[in-house]
Amino acid sequence: MSDNVLTEREFAKIIAENGGRVFRVGGCVRDSFMGITPKDIDFSVVGMVKKNFKMLFPKAEECGKSFPVFRLAIDGIKREVAFARTEWKVGSGYKGFRVSAKPKITIEEDLFRRDTTVNSMAQDSLTGEIIDPFQGQEDIRAKVLRATSQHFSDDPMRALRLAGQSARFGFAIDPATLLFARDVKEELIHEPVERMIAELGKVLAEASEPGRFFKVLAETQLLEVTFQEIAELSVDDFEKAMAGLNLVAKATSSSKLRFASLGLVMDQMRLARWNQRMTLPGDWLDAALRVNQISGFLEEITPEKIVDTIGNLRRGSLKIEELDLIITAAKLKILTLGPLKAAMVLPQGEGVPKTLQGKEIGEWLRKKHIEAIAKQLNSN
């Protein structure tokens, strides 16, 4: 091994010399065909038992419970290495599967259990051969998401990931796959909310049109059992929320600000109820609450309101420039606050009177700031 660093090729060669094969699988293969640099590279091992693998790679850290999964440094980065497996449904939910990871299981059988065809491809780490039994490359070219098999609906979380993939890649969804997604409604109700928030986090961080995520869930009648606070919006408010979310997403990749844009439509009570049910990331919630409060507060502006709002934004997770970005991106008919904040300065040569103390200083400064804002508004 070169410089004591195990390369992918060396890893695959050792496996091959001991009767097995190694494949890149899943998202990294999909991303390479889409021209995207993969964030993670996952491997699948075929034709080997766990005991032999552990003897060959004693530094591998076993982390799988129901089937063999290891963490192993390959090319200097810890990668996930799983044994090829088959699974069949024996209960409800994403945990309701029986798994087999025997050496005779083929890579094609492993790919068959995966969700969509674009994720059901593999690449031999030694030869570079592409294994694509379900025409994933063709669906990437057509920009369509299609269930690998009718077993798509065995795992209810696949429907949520389907909506996430549609939003992240901008792909349409095959009509039959939409029907499979609808079938999981009763099971999806019982899935952990943490998994739903994790999928939403991916969408907000990566999707160019995150509104598509919620629209797919609405189309498959799953929005009411996943993000019911969004589902309860009127048709007009839902469209307004999605339009605002997509506009803000064009201006920033910040998950916090993208989520905060929902505060333009969702009131404080609805946001608080959402948080009570799911425990939203604190900065998301605080930013959305502030956007809701401030956007309503500033519909009729006065110098006093502007000074108070700028003062409030100095505390908390939403900065003035971030609020201005949302106001501008969403094309709101509200003044941006950055230029007004810049106008909140004392006239040249004027300072706080030495006779003032404590609260009197704050009151005097507020009065001066209000005067400066009023002057600025009049000049505009």
Side-chain angles (χ1 to χ4, degrees):
M1 299 178 196
S2 55
D3 299 322
N4 295 320
V5 174
L6 178 66
T7 67
E8 180 179 350
R9 183 168 182 80
E10 288 166 340
F11 172 57
K13 192 174 180 182
I14 293 168
I15 294 289
E17 288 169 350
N18 287 272
R21 288 178 77 184
V22 176
F23 298 88
R24 289 187 175 201
V25 288
C28 64
V29 183
R30 175 201 67 215
D31 288 350
S32 66
F33 283 112
M34 293 176 63
I36 300 170
T37 302
K39 287 185 178 179
D40 299 302
I41 297 174
D42 296 328
F43 297 98
S44 181
V45 173
V46 172
M48 181 167 285
V49 295
K50 184 170 75 171
K51 181 180 177 182
N52 289 355
F53 184 88
K54 292 173 77 170
M55 287 176 61
L56 292 168
F57 306 100
K59 291 184 179 180
E61 303 166 5
E62 188 169 1
C63 51
K65 292 181 180 179
S66 56
F67 55 89
V69 182
F70 295 88
R71 299 279 293 171
L72 179 64
I74 299 172
D75 292 321
I77 300 172
K78 282 202 173 179
R79 306 292 193 188
E80 186 174 288
V81 181
F83 281 30
R85 64 189 188 272
T86 57
E87 56 192 25
W88 58 98
K89 193 172 178 68
V90 293
S92 62
Y94 72 98
K95 290 184 177 179
F97 290 90
R98 185 167 293 166
V99 180
S100 174
K102 295 177 181 177
K104 65 180 181 180
I105 292 169
T106 66
I107 189 62
E108 288 82 3
E109 289 174 311
D110 180 86
L111 296 175
F112 178 75
R113 68 177 176 77
R114 296 173 183 265
D115 55 359
T116 55
T117 60
V118 301
N119 290 330
S120 300
M121 298 183 287
Q123 182 176 24
D124 190 302
S125 290
L126 200 58
T127 67
E129 177 191 358
I130 299 296
I131 312 297
D132 183 12
F134 308 105
Q135 292 75 54
Q137 294 174 76
E138 187 176 316
D139 284 341
I140 287 174
R141 285 190 288 269
K143 295 187 175 181
V144 64
L145 294 170
R146 188 187 315 277
T148 301
S149 76
Q150 71 274 18
H151 294 290
F152 176 92
S153 51
D154 286 354
D155 180 354
M157 285 304 299
R158 286 176 177 168
L160 207 66
R161 291 196 293 269
L162 178 75
Q165 288 172 26
S166 180
R168 296 199 328 267
F169 308 142
F171 282 14
I173 300 175
D174 163 66
T177 304
L178 284 172
L179 294 177
F180 288 145
R182 285 187 183 186
D183 288 343
V184 308
K185 185 174 183 178
E186 293 304 315
E187 282 195 62
L188 196 55
I189 294 171
H190 305 292
E191 292 303 302
V193 294
E194 294 82 6
R195 290 170 69 85
M196 299 180 188
I197 286 292
E199 192 60 46
L200 175 57
K202 283 185 189 176
V203 169
L204 290 177
E206 299 173 17
S208 58
E209 288 191 12
R212 188 192 288 254
F213 175 67
F214 295 110
K215 287 190 172 184
V216 169
L217 291 176
E219 187 177 357
T220 52
Q221 300 175 7
L222 300 178
L223 192 59
E224 63 198 65
V225 297
T226 51
F227 303 101
Q228 63 188 54
E229 293 75 19
I230 296 280
E232 290 166 359
L233 294 172
S234 68
V235 173
D236 287 346
D237 280 350
F238 177 78
E239 289 300 327
K240 185 179 176 183
M242 297 305 103
L245 174 57
N246 288 337
L247 285 169
V248 171
K250 287 182 180 179
T252 177
S253 60
S254 164
S255 300
K256 177 186 79 174
L257 298 187
R258 290 176 170 199
F259 184 86
S261 72
L262 296 174
L264 297 172
V265 176
M266 302 181 74
D267 61 30
Q268 308 262 315
M269 189 177 297
R270 197 182 300 271
L271 286 164
R273 186 152 40 87
W274 189 354
N275 180 59
Q276 188 174 22
R277 193 173 61 84
M278 279 190 156
T279 310
L280 299 164
D283 59 338
W284 290 13
L285 178 64
D286 182 59
L289 289 170
R290 286 173 179 270
V291 165
N292 177 263
Q293 180 185 35
I294 293 167
S295 60
F297 192 60
L298 293 181
E299 284 180 356
E300 295 182 11
I301 61 168
T302 64
E304 290 82 2
K305 282 185 176 182
I306 290 170
V307 169
D308 290 342
T309 299
I310 290 172
N312 287 334
L313 283 171
R314 286 178 174 144
R315 303 176 293 275
S317 63
L318 189 69
K319 299 175 182 176
I320 289 173
E321 56 269 26
E322 292 176 328
L323 177 65
D324 284 353
L325 182 149
I326 292 172
I327 289 171
T328 303
K331 302 177 182 177
L332 302 181
K333 295 177 180 178
I334 300 174
L335 287 175
T336 52
L337 297 180
L340 295 171
K341 178 191 173 187
M344 286 169 53
V345 292
L346 295 176
Q348 190 171 0
E350 186 172 2
V352 178
K354 294 181 180 179
T355 56
L356 300 180
Q357 293 182 345
K359 288 184 179 179
E360 293 175 333
I361 296 173
E363 290 168 358
W364 184 87
L365 282 171
R366 183 172 184 272
K367 181 181 176 183
K368 289 295 180 180
H369 288 156
I370 289 169
E371 289 173 359
I373 294 296
K375 185 178 178 181
Q376 181 73 11
L377 292 175
N378 288 333
S379 68
N380 291 338

